[in-house]
Amino acid sequence: MSAATGGPALPQERRLVTEIPGPASQARLEQKKAHVADGVGTVLPVFVTAAGGGVLVDVDGNSLIDLGSGIAVTTVGNAAPEVTRRVHEQVDAFTHTCFMVTPYDGYVEVCATLAELTPGDHAKKSALFNSGAEAVENAVKIARVATGRDAVGVFDHGYHGRTNLTMAMTSKNMPYKHGFGPFAGEVYRAPMSYPFRDGLSGAEAAARAVDVLDKQVGADNLACVVVEPIQGEGGFVVPADGFLPAVAEWCRERGVLFVADEIQSGFCRTGDWFACDHEGVVPDLVTTAKGMAGGLPLAGVTGRADLMDSVHVGGLGGTYGGNPVACAAALGAIEEMRTHDLVSRAAAIGDLIGRRLAELRERHPVVGDVRGRGAMQAIELTAPGTIEPDAARAAAVSAYCHRQGVVTLTCGTWGNVFRFLPPLAISDALLEEAFDVVAEAFDATA
Ligand code: PLZ
């Protein structure tokens, strides 16, 4: 049977003792069907009892290799030692006061750490929230007050959340927006740099994007431009070199705030602390969440102190924002990142994955593009030699991996991108085994 506790001590192995999902998970799925709204889907319906390092263990006693990290959250590994130690200590001391009522140290320490780690060495301040979507909403609130302008620029294929404003900012209709309108106004979408599909240089793609913003919105009306430096849900789209710096420069010259949504790409994931670091781009505001707190819900907006302070007292907050247990988890996760040099580990994982994906591309012409950075890599599947999306193949490959005990995710506007987001605590041996399964999946579905 499965282990009772998770963390790195869990046997680091792929072990299948039943079909996936097994009978115990199947029984629970019926309970889910009876009690959980159908709108809440699941990618791989095994019910988890423990997780750690690079594996998830389910109620049937199967041990699966994790290439998803709960969508880029358990970057430091599931139930990482420094996270669980600090969380235990904090829950025993107190669980909540509401920082807006009576403050505590953890919140301030997380904000001080965010100022240290996020791009740029200017004076910075932060505010903490519960989810990525909430952080993005608050970044827009701050940008509007700081600039006195209304409009928000976003990009094709962008994903920013499921709340009303962030749905408006998100590009893809199904499943995120369909039927949920009307959406918040004053959101304008510009073309993204997508080298595989547009063939443009970074400078050319930036010129195309700012032309749309300039002509259709007008820089004087724009509070901010919000961009994922590597797009997540939209397909792990890595903009061509020079795109981000050029857009940031255009913003700076016109008093438009450049907001980097680093919710998926931040905290070591790409082989830098933040994806913006790769090109030395310094955003005015940065949104963070996911990997920051090792699995507990925490999000932040960090930015230039003058901008952050433009909001009136009481204008930012929320009952649970910066909950003490979540802050303790974040401080533990960041300590794990520092002591294990997870920036370098992400880069090394990137080399391994890059090698395996290059092999796949050699053998399978359906692999149209291989892209990503560090431990955020993907392949885009298309009809050979074209950019015609092949979502069916991506779904078939992913389903094969699931049956073989490897947790994989897809993404992309057309659903044809197969993405990899392993925890950085995974071993090379497990990664190689997982990519053996991925290779088999391509052979078996050819
Ligand atoms: N910005 C860049 O990746 C969350 C969404 C999964 P929340 N991405 C995973 C799903 O289907 O809901 C995300 C992101 C970027 C914002 C968000 C939103 O973060 O914590 O899910 O609100």
Side-chain angles (χ1 to χ4, degrees):
M1 242 338 255
S2 55
T5 54
L10 266 190
Q12 295 296 299
E13 61 183 7
R14 181 169 64 111
R15 181 182 70 238
L16 297 183
V17 296
T18 68
E19 67 192 340
I20 301 288
S25 280
Q26 304 255 19
R28 284 164 175 81
L29 267 180
E30 278 168 37
Q31 293 299 304
K32 174 191 179 271
K33 181 76 191 151
H35 301 296
V36 180
D38 285 351
V40 184
T42 46
V43 171
L44 205 185
V46 298
F47 280 69
V48 172
T49 55
V55 299
L56 299 163
V57 174
D58 75 11
V59 283
D60 289 285
N62 299 297
S63 177
L64 293 83
I65 304 178
D66 184 9
L67 296 185
S69 299
I71 322 189
V73 171
T74 53
T75 301
V76 295
N78 222 308
E82 222 16 66
V83 172
T84 56
R85 187 186 70 75
R86 290 185 189 234
V87 164
H88 281 295
E89 226 173 73
Q90 181 59 49
V91 285
D92 288 340
F94 65 96
T95 50
H96 174 82
T97 64
C98 185
F99 190 77
M100 301 183 303
V101 178
T102 48
Y104 40 87
D105 286 340
Y107 191 114
V108 180
E109 277 174 51
V110 169
C111 294
T113 308
L114 280 165
E116 255 175 67
L117 295 177
T118 53
D121 50 16
H122 52 287
K124 291 175 217 159
K125 289 193 175 186
S126 295
L128 303 181
F129 305 97
N130 304 296
S131 68
E134 213 188 335
V136 173
E137 292 253 354
N138 279 278
V140 171
K141 284 164 68 173
I142 294 162
R144 284 176 169 161
V145 171
T147 60
R149 304 170 181 177
D150 293 337
V152 177
V154 293
F155 290 91
D156 286 338
H157 314 290
Y159 181 91
H160 300 287
R162 293 175 181 268
T163 58
N164 188 266
L165 173 59
T166 59
M167 277 193 292
M169 295 169 68
T170 290
S171 192
K172 189 174 176 175
N173 175 53
M174 205 57 173
Y176 308 121
K177 303 171 74 165
H178 188 71
F180 297 142
F183 303 112
E186 288 306 308
V187 175
Y188 300 91
R189 201 172 311 286
M192 180 64 178
S193 168
Y194 196 150
F196 174 60
R197 290 183 173 272
D198 64 27
L200 299 179
S201 71
E204 289 163 346
R208 178 180 66 172
V210 300
D211 188 57
V212 168
L213 295 172
D214 198 39
K215 297 299 177 296
Q216 297 184 20
V217 193
D220 291 350
N221 299 311
L222 266 177
C224 58
V225 165
V226 183
V227 64
E228 300 157 82
I230 295 180
Q231 290 183 321
E233 304 309 303
F236 281 26
V237 179
V238 185
D241 278 350
F243 174 79
L244 295 171
V247 172
E249 183 58 22
W250 181 86
C251 287
R252 188 162 23 252
E253 284 168 358
R254 286 159 186 79
V256 178
L257 301 190
F258 182 84
V259 182
D261 181 345
E262 292 258 16
I263 286 165
Q264 190 154 164
S265 56
F267 282 100
C268 305
R269 178 53 56 188
T270 63
D272 271 306
W273 276 99
F274 291 91
C276 277
D277 292 332
H278 181 73
E279 288 189 277
V281 171
V282 178
D284 297 299
L285 302 174
V286 184
T287 56
T288 52
K290 290 188 184 278
M292 162 160 65
L296 273 81
L298 186 68
V301 180
T302 302
R304 281 166 44 197
D306 58 317
L307 302 173
M308 295 298 294
D309 283 344
S310 63
V311 177
H312 48 279
V313 173
L316 302 175
T319 305
Y320 296 112
N323 168 272
V325 183
C327 286
L331 295 169
I334 292 164
E335 188 179 332
E336 294 271 352
M337 293 176 199
R338 283 177 157 148
T339 49
H340 301 293
D341 186 11
L342 294 186
V343 163
S344 303
R345 179 64 190 142
I349 287 174
D351 291 344
L352 189 158
I353 298 179
R355 169 172 55 75
R356 298 303 303 256
L357 297 184
E359 284 164 21
L360 270 185
R361 182 188 220 162
E362 285 286 294
R363 293 185 25 244
H364 296 280
V366 72
V367 178
D369 193 25
V370 176
R371 58 177 179 253
R373 206 165 270 146
M376 183 173 187
Q377 303 254 352
I379 47 188
E380 179 159 0
L381 306 189
T382 53
T386 76
I387 57 169
E388 189 59 42
D390 191 346
R393 186 69 180 280
V397 167
S398 201
Y400 181 97
C401 291
H402 296 174
R403 285 194 299 275
Q404 296 303 317
V406 180
V407 182
T408 52
L409 302 172
T410 57
C411 63
T413 294
W414 297 276
N416 65 324
V417 179
F418 197 44
R419 62 170 152 173
F420 307 103
L421 289 165
L424 305 181
I426 197 169
S427 68
D428 282 359
L430 270 189
L431 267 180
E432 297 280 8
E433 184 175 344
F435 280 93
D436 290 345
V437 173
V438 169
E440 254 172 59
F442 273 89
D443 293 336
T445 55

